[in-house]
mmCIF file of all heavy atoms in Angstrom:
data_model
loop_
_atom_site.group_PDB
_atom_site.id
_atom_site.type_symbol
_atom_site.label_atom_id
_atom_site.label_comp_id
_atom_site.label_asym_id
_atom_site.label_seq_id
_atom_site.Cartn_x
_atom_site.Cartn_y
_atom_site.Cartn_z
ATOM 1 N N THR A 49 4.636 39.526 -0.377
ATOM 2 C CA THR A 49 3.445 39.950 -1.121
ATOM 3 C C THR A 49 2.215 39.806 -0.228
ATOM 4 O O THR A 49 1.366 40.710 -0.159
ATOM 5 C CB THR A 49 3.274 39.082 -2.398
ATOM 6 O OG1 THR A 49 4.520 39.060 -3.079
ATOM 7 C CG2 THR A 49 2.200 39.622 -3.314
ATOM 8 N N HIS A 50 2.145 38.673 0.476
ATOM 9 C CA HIS A 50 1.007 38.450 1.364
ATOM 10 C C HIS A 50 0.982 39.512 2.471
ATOM 11 O O HIS A 50 -0.089 40.021 2.835
ATOM 12 C CB HIS A 50 1.098 37.043 1.964
ATOM 13 C CG HIS A 50 -0.138 36.636 2.701
ATOM 14 N ND1 HIS A 50 -1.319 36.316 2.065
ATOM 15 C CD2 HIS A 50 -0.395 36.541 4.028
ATOM 16 C CE1 HIS A 50 -2.242 36.034 2.960
ATOM 17 N NE2 HIS A 50 -1.705 36.159 4.168
ATOM 18 N N TYR A 51 2.165 39.873 2.975
ATOM 19 C CA TYR A 51 2.258 40.899 4.030
ATOM 20 C C TYR A 51 1.755 42.239 3.508
ATOM 21 O O TYR A 51 0.999 42.939 4.188
ATOM 22 C CB TYR A 51 3.701 41.017 4.520
ATOM 23 C CG TYR A 51 3.919 42.106 5.527
ATOM 24 C CD1 TYR A 51 3.556 41.922 6.868
ATOM 25 C CD2 TYR A 51 4.473 43.337 5.150
ATOM 26 C CE1 TYR A 51 3.752 42.933 7.802
ATOM 27 C CE2 TYR A 51 4.667 44.347 6.076
ATOM 28 C CZ TYR A 51 4.308 44.136 7.399
ATOM 29 O OH TYR A 51 4.496 45.143 8.322
ATOM 30 N N SER A 52 2.158 42.584 2.274
ATOM 31 C CA SER A 52 1.738 43.902 1.770
ATOM 32 C C SER A 52 0.232 43.931 1.501
ATOM 33 O O SER A 52 -0.387 44.983 1.562
ATOM 34 C CB SER A 52 2.546 44.327 0.535
ATOM 35 O OG SER A 52 2.394 43.371 -0.463
ATOM 36 N N GLU A 53 -0.366 42.771 1.248
ATOM 37 C CA GLU A 53 -1.820 42.738 0.990
ATOM 38 C C GLU A 53 -2.648 42.647 2.277
ATOM 39 O O GLU A 53 -3.762 43.145 2.338
ATOM 40 C CB GLU A 53 -2.150 41.520 0.114
ATOM 41 C CG GLU A 53 -1.720 41.702 -1.341
ATOM 42 C CD GLU A 53 -1.702 40.375 -2.121
ATOM 43 O OE1 GLU A 53 -2.119 39.333 -1.556
ATOM 44 O OE2 GLU A 53 -1.260 40.394 -3.270
ATOM 45 N N THR A 54 -2.085 41.983 3.311
ATOM 46 C CA THR A 54 -2.912 41.679 4.493
ATOM 47 C C THR A 54 -2.326 42.158 5.820
ATOM 48 O O THR A 54 -2.999 42.106 6.845
ATOM 49 C CB THR A 54 -3.079 40.145 4.625
ATOM 50 O OG1 THR A 54 -1.780 39.593 4.909
ATOM 51 C CG2 THR A 54 -3.642 39.504 3.373
ATOM 52 N N GLY A 55 -1.046 42.551 5.826
ATOM 53 C CA GLY A 55 -0.408 42.940 7.088
ATOM 54 C C GLY A 55 0.104 41.741 7.874
ATOM 55 O O GLY A 55 0.615 41.889 8.989
ATOM 56 N N GLU A 56 -0.024 40.539 7.295
ATOM 57 C CA GLU A 56 0.449 39.320 7.975
ATOM 58 C C GLU A 56 1.495 38.651 7.096
ATOM 59 O O GLU A 56 1.258 38.428 5.902
ATOM 60 C CB GLU A 56 -0.718 38.343 8.121
ATOM 61 C CG GLU A 56 -1.223 38.170 9.520
ATOM 62 C CD GLU A 56 -2.228 37.008 9.583
ATOM 63 O OE1 GLU A 56 -2.977 36.777 8.601
ATOM 64 O OE2 GLU A 56 -2.243 36.354 10.615
ATOM 65 N N SER A 57 2.650 38.263 7.685
ATOM 66 C CA SER A 57 3.688 37.626 6.848
ATOM 67 C C SER A 57 3.618 36.101 6.919
ATOM 68 O O SER A 57 3.960 35.415 5.956
ATOM 69 C CB SER A 57 5.066 38.113 7.262
ATOM 70 O OG SER A 57 5.285 37.822 8.616
ATOM 71 N N LEU A 58 3.211 35.595 8.083
ATOM 72 C CA LEU A 58 3.117 34.134 8.233
ATOM 73 C C LEU A 58 1.840 33.819 9.028
ATOM 74 O O LEU A 58 1.866 33.712 10.255
ATOM 75 C CB LEU A 58 4.366 33.596 8.966
ATOM 76 C CG LEU A 58 4.446 32.086 9.208
ATOM 77 C CD1 LEU A 58 4.339 31.292 7.919
ATOM 78 C CD2 LEU A 58 5.746 31.723 9.930
ATOM 79 N N PRO A 59 0.709 33.678 8.310
ATOM 80 C CA PRO A 59 -0.561 33.448 9.016
ATOM 81 C C PRO A 59 -0.515 32.190 9.889
ATOM 82 O O PRO A 59 0.183 31.228 9.543
ATOM 83 C CB PRO A 59 -1.569 33.269 7.871
ATOM 84 C CG PRO A 59 -0.933 33.887 6.684
ATOM 85 C CD PRO A 59 0.542 33.745 6.854
ATOM 86 N N LYS A 60 -1.268 32.228 10.987
ATOM 87 C CA LYS A 60 -1.297 31.091 11.924
ATOM 88 C C LYS A 60 -1.697 29.786 11.234
ATOM 89 O O LYS A 60 -1.150 28.725 11.517
ATOM 90 C CB LYS A 60 -2.309 31.376 13.051
ATOM 91 C CG LYS A 60 -1.758 32.219 14.161
ATOM 92 C CD LYS A 60 -2.537 31.933 15.474
ATOM 93 C CE LYS A 60 -1.955 32.712 16.635
ATOM 94 N NZ LYS A 60 -2.135 34.190 16.482
ATOM 95 N N ALA A 61 -2.678 29.884 10.316
ATOM 96 C CA ALA A 61 -3.150 28.667 9.638
ATOM 97 C C ALA A 61 -2.034 28.067 8.766
ATOM 98 O O ALA A 61 -1.916 26.835 8.655
ATOM 99 C CB ALA A 61 -4.372 28.983 8.784
ATOM 100 N N SER A 62 -1.198 28.924 8.180
ATOM 101 C CA SER A 62 -0.080 28.434 7.346
ATOM 102 C C SER A 62 0.940 27.727 8.243
ATOM 103 O O SER A 62 1.461 26.658 7.899
ATOM 104 C CB SER A 62 0.593 29.593 6.621
ATOM 105 O OG SER A 62 -0.324 30.258 5.796
ATOM 106 N N LEU A 63 1.205 28.347 9.393
ATOM 107 C CA LEU A 63 2.166 27.762 10.334
ATOM 108 C C LEU A 63 1.665 26.406 10.830
ATOM 109 O O LEU A 63 2.429 25.445 10.958
ATOM 110 C CB LEU A 63 2.361 28.731 11.510
ATOM 111 C CG LEU A 63 3.482 28.399 12.476
ATOM 112 C CD1 LEU A 63 4.819 28.371 11.758
ATOM 113 C CD2 LEU A 63 3.531 29.430 13.610
ATOM 114 N N LYS A 64 0.350 26.322 11.055
ATOM 115 C CA LYS A 64 -0.236 25.066 11.546
ATOM 116 C C LYS A 64 -0.106 23.970 10.485
ATOM 117 O O LYS A 64 0.242 22.822 10.798
ATOM 118 C CB LYS A 64 -1.714 25.305 11.888
ATOM 119 C CG LYS A 64 -2.343 24.167 12.632
ATOM 120 C CD LYS A 64 -3.680 24.542 13.228
ATOM 121 C CE LYS A 64 -4.355 23.278 13.749
ATOM 122 N NZ LYS A 64 -5.777 23.293 13.539
ATOM 123 N N SER A 65 -0.393 24.328 9.237
ATOM 124 C CA SER A 65 -0.247 23.348 8.151
ATOM 125 C C SER A 65 1.192 22.840 8.119
ATOM 126 O O SER A 65 1.452 21.632 8.029
ATOM 127 C CB SER A 65 -0.617 23.999 6.812
ATOM 128 O OG SER A 65 -0.213 23.195 5.739
ATOM 129 N N ALA A 66 2.166 23.782 8.218
ATOM 130 C CA ALA A 66 3.587 23.407 8.168
ATOM 131 C C ALA A 66 3.963 22.515 9.354
ATOM 132 O O ALA A 66 4.702 21.529 9.206
ATOM 133 C CB ALA A 66 4.448 24.658 8.149
ATOM 134 N N ALA A 67 3.426 22.860 10.531
ATOM 135 C CA ALA A 67 3.774 22.091 11.743
ATOM 136 C C ALA A 67 3.315 20.642 11.618
ATOM 137 O O ALA A 67 3.988 19.717 12.085
ATOM 138 C CB ALA A 67 3.134 22.742 12.967
ATOM 139 N N ASN A 68 2.158 20.439 10.972
ATOM 140 C CA ASN A 68 1.592 19.087 10.889
ATOM 141 C C ASN A 68 2.056 18.301 9.667
ATOM 142 O O ASN A 68 1.776 17.108 9.562
ATOM 143 C CB ASN A 68 0.056 19.168 10.858
ATOM 144 C CG ASN A 68 -0.481 19.713 12.164
ATOM 145 O OD1 ASN A 68 0.119 19.510 13.214
ATOM 146 N ND2 ASN A 68 -1.590 20.436 12.099
ATOM 147 N N ALA A 69 2.749 18.986 8.747
ATOM 148 C CA ALA A 69 3.130 18.326 7.488
ATOM 149 C C ALA A 69 4.276 17.339 7.707
ATOM 150 O O ALA A 69 5.037 17.441 8.671
ATOM 151 C CB ALA A 69 3.551 19.383 6.471
ATOM 152 N N ASP A 70 4.403 16.407 6.765
ATOM 153 C CA ASP A 70 5.561 15.508 6.786
ATOM 154 C C ASP A 70 6.808 16.224 6.283
ATOM 155 O O ASP A 70 7.927 15.879 6.660
ATOM 156 C CB ASP A 70 5.280 14.279 5.915
ATOM 157 C CG ASP A 70 4.173 13.428 6.511
ATOM 158 O OD1 ASP A 70 4.401 12.861 7.592
ATOM 159 O OD2 ASP A 70 3.072 13.383 5.929
ATOM 160 N N ALA A 71 6.604 17.211 5.394
ATOM 161 C CA ALA A 71 7.732 18.013 4.902
ATOM 162 C C ALA A 71 7.193 19.331 4.353
ATOM 163 O O ALA A 71 6.011 19.429 4.010
ATOM 164 C CB ALA A 71 8.486 17.268 3.803
ATOM 165 N N ILE A 72 8.072 20.322 4.292
ATOM 166 C CA ILE A 72 7.684 21.659 3.835
ATOM 167 C C ILE A 72 8.538 22.022 2.617
ATOM 168 O O ILE A 72 9.768 21.912 2.664
ATOM 169 C CB ILE A 72 7.915 22.696 4.963
ATOM 170 C CG1 ILE A 72 7.092 22.307 6.207
ATOM 171 C CG2 ILE A 72 7.589 24.106 4.496
ATOM 172 C CD1 ILE A 72 7.619 22.867 7.506
ATOM 173 N N LEU A 73 7.840 22.441 1.566
ATOM 174 C CA LEU A 73 8.530 22.852 0.341
ATOM 175 C C LEU A 73 8.344 24.359 0.223
ATOM 176 O O LEU A 73 7.215 24.843 0.258
ATOM 177 C CB LEU A 73 7.861 22.129 -0.828
ATOM 178 C CG LEU A 73 8.639 21.789 -2.083
ATOM 179 C CD1 LEU A 73 9.953 21.112 -1.779
ATOM 180 C CD2 LEU A 73 7.788 20.911 -2.999
ATOM 181 N N LEU A 74 9.454 25.078 0.107
ATOM 182 C CA LEU A 74 9.375 26.537 0.117
ATOM 183 C C LEU A 74 10.218 27.079 -1.032
ATOM 184 O O LEU A 74 11.333 26.614 -1.239
ATOM 185 C CB LEU A 74 9.919 27.003 1.472
ATOM 186 C CG LEU A 74 9.712 28.424 1.942
ATOM 187 C CD1 LEU A 74 9.662 28.459 3.470
ATOM 188 C CD2 LEU A 74 10.806 29.339 1.464
ATOM 189 N N SER A 75 9.681 28.041 -1.775
ATOM 190 C CA SER A 75 10.495 28.569 -2.884
ATOM 191 C C SER A 75 11.370 29.699 -2.353
ATOM 192 O O SER A 75 12.378 29.436 -1.712
ATOM 193 C CB SER A 75 9.624 28.976 -4.061
ATOM 194 O OG SER A 75 8.602 29.816 -3.608
ATOM 195 N N ALA A 76 11.009 30.934 -2.587
ATOM 196 C CA ALA A 76 11.830 32.033 -2.078
ATOM 197 C C ALA A 76 10.893 33.078 -1.503
ATOM 198 O O ALA A 76 9.814 33.305 -2.042
ATOM 199 C CB ALA A 76 12.636 32.623 -3.223
ATOM 200 N N MET A 77 11.306 33.692 -0.398
ATOM 201 C CA MET A 77 10.437 34.710 0.195
ATOM 202 C C MET A 77 11.198 35.986 0.459
ATOM 203 O O MET A 77 12.394 35.968 0.720
ATOM 204 C CB MET A 77 9.871 34.183 1.511
ATOM 205 C CG MET A 77 8.802 33.141 1.319
ATOM 206 S SD MET A 77 7.889 32.971 2.836
ATOM 207 C CE MET A 77 7.239 31.338 2.622
ATOM 208 N N GLY A 78 10.477 37.087 0.414
ATOM 209 C CA GLY A 78 11.069 38.390 0.689
ATOM 210 C C GLY A 78 11.181 39.218 -0.577
ATOM 211 O O GLY A 78 11.406 38.687 -1.667
ATOM 212 N N LEU A 79 10.946 40.522 -0.422
ATOM 213 C CA LEU A 79 11.120 41.472 -1.530
ATOM 214 C C LEU A 79 11.806 42.699 -0.938
ATOM 215 O O LEU A 79 11.434 43.141 0.160
ATOM 216 C CB LEU A 79 9.752 41.869 -2.115
ATOM 217 C CG LEU A 79 8.980 40.781 -2.873
ATOM 218 C CD1 LEU A 79 7.564 41.255 -3.199
ATOM 219 C CD2 LEU A 79 9.703 40.376 -4.159
ATOM 220 N N PRO A 80 12.801 43.241 -1.640
ATOM 221 C CA PRO A 80 13.586 44.327 -1.032
ATOM 222 C C PRO A 80 12.765 45.560 -0.659
ATOM 223 O O PRO A 80 13.101 46.264 0.283
ATOM 224 C CB PRO A 80 14.630 44.657 -2.114
ATOM 225 C CG PRO A 80 14.247 43.903 -3.335
ATOM 226 C CD PRO A 80 13.289 42.830 -2.955
ATOM 227 N N ASN A 81 11.661 45.793 -1.388
ATOM 228 C CA ASN A 81 10.902 47.024 -1.105
ATOM 229 C C ASN A 81 9.719 46.805 -0.159
ATOM 230 O O ASN A 81 8.940 47.716 0.073
ATOM 231 C CB ASN A 81 10.420 47.651 -2.429
ATOM 232 C CG ASN A 81 9.638 46.644 -3.255
ATOM 233 O OD1 ASN A 81 9.609 45.460 -2.905
ATOM 234 N ND2 ASN A 81 8.997 47.103 -4.320
ATOM 235 N N VAL A 82 9.573 45.591 0.380
ATOM 236 C CA VAL A 82 8.500 45.350 1.361
ATOM 237 C C VAL A 82 9.171 45.042 2.696
ATOM 238 O O VAL A 82 9.890 44.047 2.823
ATOM 239 C CB VAL A 82 7.600 44.164 0.943
ATOM 240 C CG1 VAL A 82 6.482 43.949 1.963
ATOM 241 C CG2 VAL A 82 7.017 44.396 -0.446
ATOM 242 N N ARG A 83 8.956 45.891 3.685
ATOM 243 C CA ARG A 83 9.663 45.735 4.964
ATOM 244 C C ARG A 83 8.729 45.941 6.142
ATOM 245 O O ARG A 83 7.693 46.597 6.011
ATOM 246 C CB ARG A 83 10.814 46.730 5.055
ATOM 247 C CG ARG A 83 11.839 46.464 3.969
ATOM 248 C CD ARG A 83 13.102 47.250 4.121
ATOM 249 N NE ARG A 83 13.992 46.914 3.025
ATOM 250 C CZ ARG A 83 15.162 46.305 3.160
ATOM 251 N NH1 ARG A 83 15.597 45.991 4.354
ATOM 252 N NH2 ARG A 83 15.898 46.030 2.109
ATOM 253 N N TYR A 84 9.131 45.380 7.291
ATOM 254 C CA TYR A 84 8.426 45.658 8.545
ATOM 255 C C TYR A 84 8.724 47.109 8.934
ATOM 256 O O TYR A 84 9.714 47.690 8.449
ATOM 257 C CB TYR A 84 8.927 44.723 9.650
ATOM 258 C CG TYR A 84 8.535 43.263 9.463
ATOM 259 C CD1 TYR A 84 9.514 42.282 9.348
ATOM 260 C CD2 TYR A 84 7.191 42.878 9.443
ATOM 261 C CE1 TYR A 84 9.182 40.941 9.200
ATOM 262 C CE2 TYR A 84 6.848 41.545 9.287
ATOM 263 C CZ TYR A 84 7.838 40.578 9.169
ATOM 264 O OH TYR A 84 7.496 39.269 9.019
ATOM 265 N N PRO A 85 7.916 47.662 9.842
ATOM 266 C CA PRO A 85 8.162 49.059 10.248
ATOM 267 C C PRO A 85 9.587 49.289 10.767
ATOM 268 O O PRO A 85 10.125 50.387 10.614
ATOM 269 C CB PRO A 85 7.132 49.278 11.370
ATOM 270 C CG PRO A 85 6.033 48.308 11.063
ATOM 271 C CD PRO A 85 6.679 47.111 10.430
ATOM 272 N N ASP A 86 10.247 48.253 11.337
ATOM 273 C CA ASP A 86 11.615 48.465 11.849
ATOM 274 C C ASP A 86 12.668 48.384 10.736
ATOM 275 O O ASP A 86 13.873 48.451 11.002
ATOM 276 C CB ASP A 86 11.944 47.479 12.979
ATOM 277 C CG ASP A 86 12.077 46.035 12.484
ATOM 278 O OD1 ASP A 86 11.927 45.792 11.263
ATOM 279 O OD2 ASP A 86 12.339 45.147 13.321
ATOM 280 N N GLY A 87 12.222 48.207 9.482
ATOM 281 C CA GLY A 87 13.168 48.239 8.360
ATOM 282 C C GLY A 87 13.682 46.866 7.934
ATOM 283 O O GLY A 87 14.355 46.754 6.915
ATOM 284 N N THR A 88 13.385 45.821 8.708
ATOM 285 C CA THR A 88 13.908 44.491 8.338
ATOM 286 C C THR A 88 13.003 43.845 7.278
ATOM 287 O O THR A 88 11.814 44.164 7.177
ATOM 288 C CB THR A 88 14.004 43.548 9.564
ATOM 289 O OG1 THR A 88 12.694 43.438 10.150
ATOM 290 C CG2 THR A 88 14.989 44.076 10.589
ATOM 291 N N GLU A 89 13.617 42.930 6.506
ATOM 292 C CA GLU A 89 12.867 42.270 5.420
ATOM 293 C C GLU A 89 11.945 41.173 5.948
ATOM 294 O O GLU A 89 12.194 40.598 7.005
ATOM 295 C CB GLU A 89 13.849 41.657 4.412
ATOM 296 C CG GLU A 89 14.126 42.597 3.253
ATOM 297 C CD GLU A 89 14.763 41.895 2.061
ATOM 298 O OE1 GLU A 89 14.218 40.869 1.622
ATOM 299 O OE2 GLU A 89 15.794 42.392 1.584
ATOM 300 N N ILE A 90 10.922 40.878 5.180
ATOM 301 C CA ILE A 90 9.969 39.822 5.537
ATOM 302 C C ILE A 90 10.641 38.472 5.233
ATOM 303 O O ILE A 90 10.940 38.189 4.075
ATOM 304 C CB ILE A 90 8.687 39.915 4.669
ATOM 305 C CG1 ILE A 90 8.192 41.359 4.536
ATOM 306 C CG2 ILE A 90 7.596 38.955 5.125
ATOM 307 C CD1 ILE A 90 7.735 42.027 5.779
ATOM 308 N N SER A 91 10.880 37.659 6.252
ATOM 309 C CA SER A 91 11.540 36.370 5.979
ATOM 310 C C SER A 91 10.956 35.243 6.837
ATOM 311 O O SER A 91 11.590 34.790 7.796
ATOM 312 C CB SER A 91 13.052 36.474 6.163
ATOM 313 O OG SER A 91 13.358 37.202 7.314
ATOM 314 N N PRO A 92 9.730 34.807 6.480
ATOM 315 C CA PRO A 92 9.103 33.730 7.260
ATOM 316 C C PRO A 92 9.959 32.462 7.314
ATOM 317 O O PRO A 92 9.826 31.667 8.240
ATOM 318 C CB PRO A 92 7.794 33.466 6.509
ATOM 319 C CG PRO A 92 7.525 34.704 5.755
ATOM 320 C CD PRO A 92 8.853 35.282 5.412
ATOM 321 N N GLN A 93 10.856 32.269 6.312
ATOM 322 C CA GLN A 93 11.702 31.070 6.334
ATOM 323 C C GLN A 93 12.598 31.055 7.572
ATOM 324 O O GLN A 93 12.876 29.989 8.130
ATOM 325 C CB GLN A 93 12.524 30.925 5.040
ATOM 326 C CG GLN A 93 13.505 32.031 4.713
ATOM 327 C CD GLN A 93 12.866 33.213 3.991
ATOM 328 O OE1 GLN A 93 11.703 33.536 4.214
ATOM 329 N NE2 GLN A 93 13.634 33.894 3.158
ATOM 330 N N ILE A 94 13.020 32.251 8.048
ATOM 331 C CA ILE A 94 13.850 32.301 9.260
ATOM 332 C C ILE A 94 12.974 32.021 10.487
ATOM 333 O O ILE A 94 13.385 31.329 11.416
ATOM 334 C CB ILE A 94 14.586 33.659 9.365
ATOM 335 C CG1 ILE A 94 15.554 33.759 8.179
ATOM 336 C CG2 ILE A 94 15.334 33.797 10.688
ATOM 337 C CD1 ILE A 94 16.327 35.038 8.075
ATOM 338 N N GLU A 95 11.720 32.507 10.432
ATOM 339 C CA GLU A 95 10.791 32.213 11.544
ATOM 340 C C GLU A 95 10.538 30.706 11.639
ATOM 341 O O GLU A 95 10.460 30.148 12.723
ATOM 342 C CB GLU A 95 9.467 32.947 11.339
ATOM 343 C CG GLU A 95 9.581 34.443 11.583
ATOM 344 C CD GLU A 95 8.336 35.193 11.124
ATOM 345 O OE1 GLU A 95 7.237 34.851 11.582
ATOM 346 O OE2 GLU A 95 8.476 36.115 10.281
#
Side-chain angles (χ1 to χ4, degrees):
T49 310
H50 190 72
Y51 176 79
S52 58
E53 286 165 5
T54 66
E56 251 189 327
S57 58
L58 180 57
K60 277 206 177 66
S62 300
L63 189 60
K64 191 167 170 217
S65 167
N68 294 329
D70 293 293
I72 301 157
L73 209 49
L74 193 151
S75 51
M77 286 197 203
L79 291 171
N81 54 351
V82 181
R83 297 189 180 245
Y84 291 120
D86 69 1
T88 58
E89 266 196 51
I90 316 295
S91 43
Q93 61 276 32
I94 296 178
E95 287 169 56

